[in-house]
Amino acid sequence: MRTPAVAVTGLGMITPVGNDTESTWDGVCAAVSPARTVPALAGCAIDFACVVDGIDLDAEIGRRTAFRMGRYVKFAVLAAREAVADAGLDPAGWDGSRVAVVVGTSSGGSAHLTDQALVLERKGPEATSPAGVLLTIPNMPAAEIAIEMRATGPSMAPCTACSSGVTALSVARDLLATGQCDVAIAGATESTVFPIAMTGFARSGAAARADGDLSRLSRPFAADRAGLVMGEGAAVMVLERVADAEARGAEPRALLAGTGATTDAHHPTSPHPDGRIARAAVEAALRDAGWRADEVEHVNAHGTATVRNDAAEAALISRVYPHRPPVTAPKGVLGHCMGAAGAIEAGLTVLTLQRGVVPPVANLDAPAPGFDIDCVTKVPLVRPVRRAVSHSFGFGGHNAVVALQRP
C-alpha cells in the first residue's frame, strides 16, 4: 500500500553560500563555489573547504543557550526557525504533543569531542566544558529544536552517513502517515570542517587536493573530477498531511510523494560497481510515488565529484531515465555537506519545482565521455518541472531517494 504524499509547507537552510533559503538558492544558481582556505586547518593535508560564513551563530541563537550547542546544532536550530516561520506556524499556539522532530546528522559533534579531548590532555579534567557531552552527541539538533519549538511528540536523529537527510524526511513522512504527529520538523545538519575529519578524508583518497583555483576544485561528473570538497550546513522542512495544510490555508511548496532506501552491502566506502542496489532505491521511490521512470523531469544527483561515485551514478541515471531529464549536482557549489547534503539537495529540488529553474552544475563544461546524462551547465535551465527526484548515497552503502512533485 502506498504511503500518501505529504505537503512541504516550510523550508529553512543555512549553507556555505547563504544563511537562509533565498540566499542559498541564489548562490547555487550562480554556480560559483565559495571554497577557501580555512585557518583552523593550517598544517593539514587539506586546508580548504566550503564553510558557512558571515553570521554570528552565537548571537543568532542567543548566548544564554549557545554555549551548550555545537556548531552543527546551531545550524539546525536556525534552519528550523526559518522553516517553521516559512510554514506560517507559531509554536506558541500549537499542540506540541502533535509535533515531531526528525533531524539527522552523520558525524554529530565529532569536532567538539576532539577539542575536549585535547583540553583534557593538556589542561586536565577541570578545564573541560560542563556541556562537553551536549556538544558531541548526535541527537542534540533534534533535542534543541524540540526544546525551542515546544515539540513534545516523537524526536529522532537518523544517522545514515550522507543519506541522513533523506532518511529523516522518510521517517517524518511515516510518522505523519501513521498518525503519530500532525506536524513534522525534518532535515539534517553537519559540520565536519576540523583537522581530524579533513585528515581522514585526505587519507581515504576521496578528497580533492589543492590545485589552482579552489573555487573550481569540485567538478561533479567532469572527466577531470578530482574528488570531494568538504562543505557544511543544514536544511529543515516542515511537513504536514495535505488535508491539514489545506484546512489551515497553507499553500505547500511541494509534495513529498515517495521515498526509497536500500543498502549496497558491498564495501564501507565504494558504491556497488554495477549500481543495481542504488537503482533499487530509485525504483522503490518511484513505486512509492506511483510514477513511471519516464515521468521524472529532473534529477538532483548525489554527484560527489569522486571518480567511482560519479561513474556509478551516471550509469544509474542513464539506465533508469533513458529520456535524459536535466541533471544538476549542487556539490559543485556547496561542497559535500555530508549528513546534511541530502536534506539540502531535497530542499533545492523543492525550489526547482516551485520556480521552474534547474541550477547548473558548477565547474562543468560537459559530462565525462561515456556519461550519457544531460547535465545542466553554465547557466540555470528555465523549464517547468512537475516531478523530480533527489539521490543520496552514503558511506556504508546507504542509498536513499526522495520523489517530490508540484502540488
Side-chain angles (χ1 to χ4, degrees):
M1 184 175 67
R2 283 174 47 200
T3 304
V6 298
V8 179
T9 56
L11 178 60
M13 293 190 193
I14 180 167
T15 71
V17 292
N19 296 322
D20 56 23
T21 296
E22 285 303 315
S23 55
T24 291
W25 175 252
D26 291 344
V28 170
C29 287
V32 177
S33 169
R36 63 171 175 82
T37 300
V38 179
L41 301 177
C44 294
I46 297 173
D47 63 358
F48 58 88
C50 299
V51 296
V52 171
D53 213 347
I55 184 171
D56 184 336
L57 294 171
D58 288 357
E60 291 292 329
I61 292 293
R63 298 189 190 278
R64 293 184 63 183
T65 54
F67 80 94
R68 72 189 188 209
M69 297 185 193
R71 184 173 174 86
Y72 70 113
V73 180
K74 295 169 189 175
F75 290 164
V77 170
L78 293 178
R81 285 180 185 175
E82 183 187 7
V84 171
D86 182 51
L89 293 168
D90 182 0
W94 65 24
D95 178 359
S97 69
R98 300 298 300 164
V99 179
V101 181
V102 188
V103 178
T105 184
S106 177
S107 299
S110 300
H112 303 283
L113 179 61
T114 303
D115 291 343
Q116 289 299 298
L118 291 173
V119 171
L120 177 64
E121 180 182 11
R122 295 169 181 173
K123 299 182 180 180
E126 294 303 316
T128 62
S129 171
V133 173
L134 301 182
L135 292 169
T136 62
I137 55 179
N139 67 306
M140 290 315 296
E144 290 287 4
I145 290 170
I147 291 168
E148 175 158 323
M149 300 295 176
R150 307 179 189 183
T152 59
S155 178
M156 303 179 189
C159 178
T160 51
C162 310
S163 300
S164 297
V166 173
T167 300
L169 294 173
S170 180
V171 170
R173 188 179 68 132
D174 289 347
L175 292 174
L176 286 163
T178 55
Q180 296 182 64
C181 65
D182 297 325
V183 175
I185 301 169
T189 185
E190 196 80 277
S191 178
T192 56
V193 181
F194 65 100
I196 287 182
M198 300 300 283
T199 300
F201 278 102
R203 293 283 292 163
S204 75
R209 301 299 181 106
D211 181 17
D213 184 352
L214 295 178
S215 70
R216 295 191 55 79
L217 202 53
S218 182
R219 302 186 288 271
F221 298 114
D224 63 345
R225 59 196 183 279
L228 66 84
V229 172
M230 190 64 72
E232 62 177 4
V236 173
M237 296 184 193
V238 172
L239 305 179
E240 302 175 67
R241 286 182 287 272
V242 173
D244 292 344
E246 290 176 348
R248 69 179 186 88
E251 185 173 341
R253 284 181 175 267
L255 301 181
L256 196 167
T259 63
T262 59
T263 308
D264 281 352
H266 167 70
H267 188 274
T269 59
S270 295
H272 198 289
D274 67 13
R276 59 188 174 83
I277 308 300
R279 177 174 179 169
V282 175
E283 292 171 341
L286 297 179
R287 283 196 305 273
D288 194 24
W291 302 352
R292 300 187 313 271
D294 62 7
E295 292 179 304
V296 173
E297 297 173 338
H298 166 53
V299 176
N300 192 308
H302 188 57
T304 60
T306 56
V307 172
R308 291 181 179 177
N309 177 88
D310 283 11
E313 188 173 17
L316 181 157
I317 291 170
S318 65
R319 290 170 185 159
V320 176
Y321 317 106
H323 58 296
R324 294 171 57 85
V327 175
T328 195
K331 293 180 181 70
V333 174
L334 302 174
H336 196 330
C337 297
M338 307 311 289
I344 293 170
E345 290 158 11
L348 294 170
T349 306
V350 166
L351 295 174
T352 286
L353 291 164
Q354 274 196 293
R355 299 175 183 189
V357 176
V358 180
V361 182
N363 305 319
L364 180 68
D365 294 322
F371 288 8
D372 186 20
I373 58 176
D374 184 15
C375 289
V376 179
T377 62
K378 306 296 186 183
V379 297
L381 172 68
V382 178
R383 176 187 294 181
V385 177
R386 293 167 295 176
R387 298 181 181 88
V389 295
S390 184
H391 298 168
S392 291
F393 309 128
F395 277 2
H398 298 287
N399 307 307
V401 178
V402 62
L404 296 150
Q405 69 183 52
R406 280 212 316 255

